[in-house]
Amino acid sequence: MSARYQVTGATAVEISASIESAIRDAALAPGDPLPPVRTLAADLAVSPATVSRAYAELRRRGLVVTAGRHGTRVRPRPPVAARRAALRPPPAPGLRDLSRGQPDQRLLPPLRRHLAVLADTVGDPVGYPDLGVLPEMTEAAGARLAADGVPAPGLTLTGGALDGIERLLDAHLRHGDAVAVEDPGWAGLLDLLAALGLRPIGMPVDDDGPIVAGVAAALDAGARALIVTSRAQNPTGAALSADRADALRALLAGRADLLLIEDDHAAELARVPLHPLAGATTHWAFLRSVSKPFGPDLRLAVLAGDETTVARVAGRARVGTGWVSTVLQRLVLSLWADPETTALVDRAAQSYERRRHALVTALTDGGLPAHGRTGINVWVPVDDETSALTVLRDAGWVVAPGALYRIAGPPGLRITVSDLHEEEIPALADTVARAARPTPSPGFTA
């Protein structure tokens, strides 16, 4: 075991937590050996049975492996990882922070009126037998999906898009399985895969979504799940075009060995048509969260899919969290049915569209390629992320480094437009152009 870390604890729970903390903080590296059971028991003044229980719990959770006389070692790809968000530079006072990737809070629908109505109409408390997906939620969610051409032979709810993805992967995959993901792609998803002990295979992305050849290569490499962002891809703003969706559906047609997951997290904020892949494979799921249009605190996502996939997710939930709060369901139903809220969401979508388009245009007019078909982010390829971030920081701007989102793709920057004022765009575009193409140093002179 690494001499840098000393395991502590007096109980099996404390010992396993100490070792997990060391793995997470990289004090214990993949492949590092743990002390023999009796040695650690003597060091900690506990019984060997206590250490054995701690090691058994770590094995059960996929953190360590035991290989006979080779002893117990940290798994080569342990399912704990530092969050990629930690790579984002902390904003300093006085800098304009365009790195956070969050919706504009000023454009989120107010909840006070809907909560007041809910308080007057929610009725008497209900018991456990009456809880689950409300029939009216099933009807309303199914209708909204059908309007976008998404079938819903099965439908349930999860606590947000990432929760839904985790439940789907947990129901279908095993530790060490490969998952095809967009590259660059959502940092939160890459963190989740690491935590689950799954292996990401990157698929290159252009403005129309994952490139077909990249998807085919990921499938050939053994991917057992494929995760695609329908619109407003984070960080590039890509959206599946009709032609790309047709090509991917043809590639995936009839696959029974692959779980297809589509994430339409932008939903009502997206200003381009949806071209779903739903139903292309035997096992599939389509997720639509309410967080981006209606508020991050509304932890609800609709999950539609084939009956078997939805049944697995719903069945697993019944022995875990159980259900998404019916109070939250009624609040979302109230927001969906309110014309004023619909108008506010549409206004937000227009605002994001206007600001994102203006920034992309300003950058491309200056000769700098930029991407952002939909959503709240713009992706700018650069040669050197560190150099570009430094130039921007010195000019008063903070953006997100592409390293948060990349597996093997080329470097870039993600700029979130949700907090960007339109009058700031020319100055920002000029600074980004300088950052992406820094003036070479003249070197030493005599």
Side-chain angles (χ1 to χ4, degrees), residues 208-271:
D208 294 330
I211 295 171
V212 176
V215 177
L219 299 182
D220 289 342
R224 294 202 58 231
L226 167 66
I227 303 176
V228 176
T229 309
S230 305
R231 302 177 287 190
Q233 196 263 1
N234 185 359
T236 69
L240 273 180
S241 65
D243 288 345
R244 183 64 53 80
D246 286 345
L248 290 176
R249 289 180 67 87
L251 175 66
L252 302 173
R255 293 281 300 242
D257 59 339
L258 180 75
L259 172 65
L260 169 64
I261 302 174
E262 289 182 87
D263 177 15
D264 188 36
H265 67 98
E268 292 84 355
L269 290 179
R271 305 293 290 182

Side-chain angles (χ1 to χ4, degrees), residues 335-358:
L335 291 166
W336 280 351
D338 179 25
E340 290 185 18
T341 297
T342 300
L344 286 172
V345 172
D346 187 63
R347 188 180 75 183
Q350 293 180 37
S351 176
Y352 295 142
E353 179 83 5
R354 186 170 58 250
R355 285 180 276 170
R356 191 192 66 254
H357 179 72

Side-chain angles (χ1 to χ4, degrees), residues 16-253:
S16 63
S18 172
I19 294 171
E20 178 178 348
S21 177
I23 295 171
R24 181 181 297 111
D25 295 339
L28 287 174
D32 274 356
L34 299 185
V37 169
R38 292 189 178 278
T39 300
L40 184 57
D43 290 344
L44 299 178
V46 300
S47 72
T50 298
V51 176
S52 291
R53 287 196 300 272
Y55 282 10
E57 173 62 16
L58 293 167
R59 283 195 301 272
R60 186 187 69 81
R61 296 179 49 220
L63 295 167
V64 303
V65 291
T66 299
R69 63 172 179 265
H70 297 292
T72 300
R73 294 178 177 270
V74 177
R75 185 181 287 275
R77 288 180 176 270
V80 287
R83 295 180 64 239
R84 285 184 169 236
L87 297 173
R88 184 166 59 86
L95 299 184
R96 289 286 287 114
D97 187 2
L98 305 178
S99 70
R100 300 180 65 81
Q102 298 181 359
D104 187 342
Q105 291 184 316
R106 300 166 300 177
L107 297 178
L108 294 174
L111 303 180
R112 185 186 300 272
R113 175 168 58 87
H114 296 276
L115 289 169
V117 171
L118 190 61
D120 291 336
T121 60
V122 72
D124 296 329
V126 295
Y128 290 105
D130 303 311
L131 297 170
V133 182
L134 297 172
E136 52 267 47
M137 171 59 77
T138 299
E139 180 180 358
R144 294 172 80 87
L145 293 176
D148 280 328
V150 180
L155 189 147
T156 190
L157 302 176
T158 63
L162 199 60
D163 178 57
I165 293 172
E166 179 176 4
R167 293 178 183 279
L168 287 161
L169 295 175
D170 186 60
H172 282 266
L173 272 60
R174 295 176 297 179
H175 190 280
D177 281 345
V179 180
V181 295
E182 296 150 340
D183 184 15
W186 184 18
L189 175 59
L190 297 176
D191 282 340
L192 174 64
L193 296 181
L196 294 176
L198 300 173
R199 178 167 54 91
I201 300 178
M203 306 177 294
V205 177
D206 63 16
D207 291 334
D208 294 330
I211 295 171
V212 176
V215 177
L219 299 182
D220 289 342
R224 294 202 58 231
L226 167 66
I227 303 176
V228 176
T229 309
S230 305
R231 302 177 287 190
Q233 196 263 1
N234 185 359
T236 69
L240 273 180
S241 65
D243 288 345
R244 183 64 53 80
D246 286 345
L248 290 176
R249 289 180 67 87
L251 175 66
L252 302 173

Side-chain angles (χ1 to χ4, degrees), residues 110-116 118 134 137 298 325-337:
L111 303 180
R112 185 186 300 272
R113 175 168 58 87
H114 296 276
L115 289 169
L118 190 61
L134 297 172
M137 171 59 77
L298 299 176
S325 165
T326 58
V327 176
L328 177 56
Q329 292 182 53
R330 294 185 188 280
L331 175 57
V332 171
L333 284 168
S334 179
L335 291 166
W336 280 351

Side-chain angles (χ1 to χ4, degrees), residues 271-414:
R271 305 293 290 182
V272 297
L274 179 71
H275 301 291
L277 304 176
T281 57
T282 302
H283 301 293
W284 62 274
F286 182 96
L287 281 156
R288 178 173 285 176
S289 170
V290 303
S291 295
K292 283 292 193 302
F294 300 101
D297 200 31
L298 299 176
R299 308 309 302 157
L300 183 149
V302 175
L303 190 159
D306 67 273
E307 292 182 353
T308 299
T309 295
V310 172
R312 286 184 182 181
V313 172
R316 179 63 181 84
R318 279 195 291 272
V319 296
T321 56
W323 64 92
V324 172
S325 165
T326 58
V327 176
L328 177 56
Q329 292 182 53
R330 294 185 188 280
L331 175 57
V332 171
L333 284 168
S334 179
L335 291 166
W336 280 351
D338 179 25
E340 290 185 18
T341 297
T342 300
L344 286 172
V345 172
D346 187 63
R347 188 180 75 183
Q350 293 180 37
S351 176
Y352 295 142
E353 179 83 5
R354 186 170 58 250
R355 285 180 276 170
R356 191 192 66 254
H357 179 72
L359 179 58
V360 170
T361 299
L363 291 168
T364 54
D365 285 350
L368 188 64
H371 304 273
R373 282 188 62 202
T374 52
I376 62 175
N377 297 306
V378 170
W379 178 261
V380 184
V382 297
D383 292 332
D384 185 323
E385 289 180 13
T386 301
S387 173
L389 290 168
T390 300
V391 172
L392 283 159
R393 183 199 61 203
D394 291 346
W397 303 95
V398 176
V399 302
L404 274 71
Y405 316 101
R406 297 186 288 109
I407 300 173
L413 305 175
R414 191 197 72 176

